[in-house]
Amino acid sequence: MRTPVNPLRPAARAAAVPPSATAALDAHAKALAAAGAPVINLTSGEPAFATVEPAARAAEQAIAEDFTRYTPAAGIPALRTAIAARLNRYGTECEAAEVVVTAGAKQALHYAFTALLEPGDEVLVPAPYWVSYPHLITLAGGKPVPVQPETGNGLKVTPEQLRAAVTSRTRVLLLNSPANPSGVVYSRIELAALAEVAADHDLAIISDEICDHWVFGDARFASVASLGPEIASRTVTIGGVSKTFAMTGWRIGWLAAPTELTTAVAALQSHTASAPSSISQRAALGALSADLGAELERRRAELDARRLTTIKALDDTPGLQVAGTPEGAFFLLADVTGLYGKTYGDRSITSAADFAELLLAEANVAVVPGTDFAAPNHVRISYTVPPELLREALDRLADFVSALN
Ligand SMILES: Cc1ncc(COP(=O)(O)O)c(C=O)c1O
């Protein structure tokens, strides 16, 4: 007789994927808050704004019209056209046929890796990187190859570093600017130099541009596919409405690429999700079609003020150091090595995880240790919470640090 085995044991590909560390921390902080602790949660990956009004109205309209059936696998034509038009504001020359609408940028990334990678193909991933990238790559059969920035280079990788990491198995260069978790924004010139490495080694580029709107100060967003036709022909652009329009729960993202790839991705989607939600697609169309310039500008100014408040508070806290120049997204990394060896009661701090754990337990402030972002001596601070809460959290942080021995 066969030795009994658990029939529901996860296959190796699923067993290798842990739950998202940020989601786990977010859940822990929320559970503490639900139990009555006055927790301020600086772990969130979404802007603390309401979904833009025209999106909500368009969704209501879609329901009223009973627009509730399967849509074409690649998304409704009007939305694909609106997405192409939006991308082209950045100087690309994208057409509706080169766009596939997905259930969030995350699903677009999943399709992109699945469509491009053969088993064992390598993907260059500049670090620090968003937690989901390595798992999305592994799940698609690929191998993530982290490229760590050199000390003193503002958390940015250089073309030379990418060149040194290329092997005969390298297939994709993954770029993400503005970057999660560091908030670093690569300039157009810097991106061009990185993209040139991809061109020289005939690599595809996947450019995650989900935070395109959230760029502050003198920094300017540049879309990789706008760097010229040769680069555009090897680039998959990832984006969505989640972050710009405060629509994370609506689950609409996109992938834009030459039609050879979008046709393959639409086929993948047709056999998996069928299509994204019809109602959410109409909501996204509402957001993209409305004149939201002034509203989005107001939100950007608010977030910029929160960013500057956070940087100032960290600069004023001995032992903590802002890493790189956070000029985009709504996160930054604080280097905590200056606090290693310090103690709180009988607990000593020897890692970013120790620091984050103690800060939550003693000061009720939740931040994410950087281990899973390949930034092991840092914590990620998400500064999107409303200003009064942010101020209170930063005061608690400073008090906690000054109470360390
Ligand atoms: C860098 C990056 N890419 C993609 C995503 C996924 O966004 P979406 O909500 O559209 O799936 C996130 C969300 O946290 C992100 O930070």
Side-chain angles (χ1 to χ4, degrees), residues 38 201 316 341:
H201 293 274
D316 290 347

Side-chain angles (χ1 to χ4, degrees), residues 7-358:
L8 297 185
R9 66 195 178 283
R13 104 173 66 76
V17 178
S20 154
T22 33
L25 229 133
D26 194 45
H28 182 50
K30 282 181 179 143
L32 284 176
V39 172
I40 304 180
N41 191 348
L42 303 185
T43 71
S44 172
E46 51 195 350
F49 295 115
T51 286
V52 292
E53 203 44 37
R57 296 293 81 79
E60 285 170 357
Q61 180 74 28
I63 294 171
E65 288 171 16
D66 197 28
F67 188 74
T68 57
R69 306 284 180 266
Y70 294 130
T71 72
I76 53 177
L79 179 56
R80 295 172 77 192
T81 302
I83 292 167
R86 182 168 182 88
L87 292 173
N88 291 342
R89 293 180 327 164
Y90 295 130
T92 54
E93 290 175 10
C94 176
E95 291 172 13
E98 297 172 315
V99 173
V100 179
V101 188
T102 58
K106 202 178 253 185
Q107 197 185 38
L109 284 160
H110 173 58
Y111 290 146
F113 290 125
T114 303
L116 285 173
L117 298 177
E118 299 291 353
D121 278 351
E122 295 175 2
V123 180
L124 301 183
V125 188
Y129 48 70
W130 181 43
V131 278
S132 293
Y133 291 145
H135 305 303
L136 287 162
I137 294 165
T138 316
L139 202 52
K143 182 175 168 217
V145 177
V147 181
Q148 283 290 349
E150 276 159 16
T151 315
N153 201 40
L155 294 187
K156 291 181 178 176
V157 298
T158 60
E160 294 70 35
Q161 287 184 289
L162 293 183
R163 273 182 219 287
V166 171
T167 72
S168 59
R169 293 307 312 265
T170 312
R171 175 84 167 85
V172 175
L173 166 62
L174 178 61
L175 295 173
N176 171 221
S177 171
N180 178 3
S182 65
V184 157
V185 180
Y186 284 83
S187 72
R188 189 175 178 81
I189 290 174
E190 288 166 337
L191 286 173
L194 301 182
E196 197 179 306
V197 179
D200 289 349
H201 293 274
D202 210 14
L203 310 179
I205 301 172
I206 297 181
S207 181
D208 181 349
E209 303 181 357
I210 186 76
C211 281
D212 58 345
H213 176 67
W214 302 113
V215 175
F216 312 109
D218 294 332
R220 293 289 168 267
F221 169 75
S223 180
V224 171
S226 75
L227 293 169
E230 208 285 327
I231 297 300
S233 72
R234 61 178 67 251
T235 298
V236 183
T237 305
I238 305 289
V241 294
S242 286
K243 317 283 179 174
T244 304
F245 301 104
M247 291 177 67
T248 46
W250 297 81
R251 309 310 301 132
I252 293 293
W254 55 75
L255 171 157
T259 49
E260 188 183 358
L261 192 76
T262 53
T263 306
V265 166
L268 279 177
Q269 176 148 275
S270 75
H271 293 295
T272 51
S274 291
S277 147
S278 60
I279 297 162
S280 292
Q281 288 190 65
R282 286 279 294 269
L285 181 58
L288 289 173
S289 312
D291 179 9
L292 286 168
E295 172 65 14
L296 292 183
E297 209 37 61
R298 190 182 60 71
R299 292 182 178 196
R300 186 186 355 230
E302 279 185 28
L303 215 44
D304 192 18
R306 295 176 207 179
R307 175 182 74 102
L308 294 171
T309 302
T310 309
I311 293 174
K312 165 98 180 49
L314 294 174
D315 283 347
D316 290 347
T317 307
L320 293 181
Q321 203 181 350
V322 176
T325 311
E327 296 180 297
F330 28 81
F331 320 100
L332 54 75
L333 286 173
D335 185 331
V336 297
T337 39
L339 300 176
Y340 287 3
K342 295 211 172 260
T343 55
Y344 191 96
D346 59 356
R347 303 268 321 261
S348 69
I349 296 177
T350 57
S351 67
D354 288 343
F355 173 80
E357 224 177 286
L358 270 176

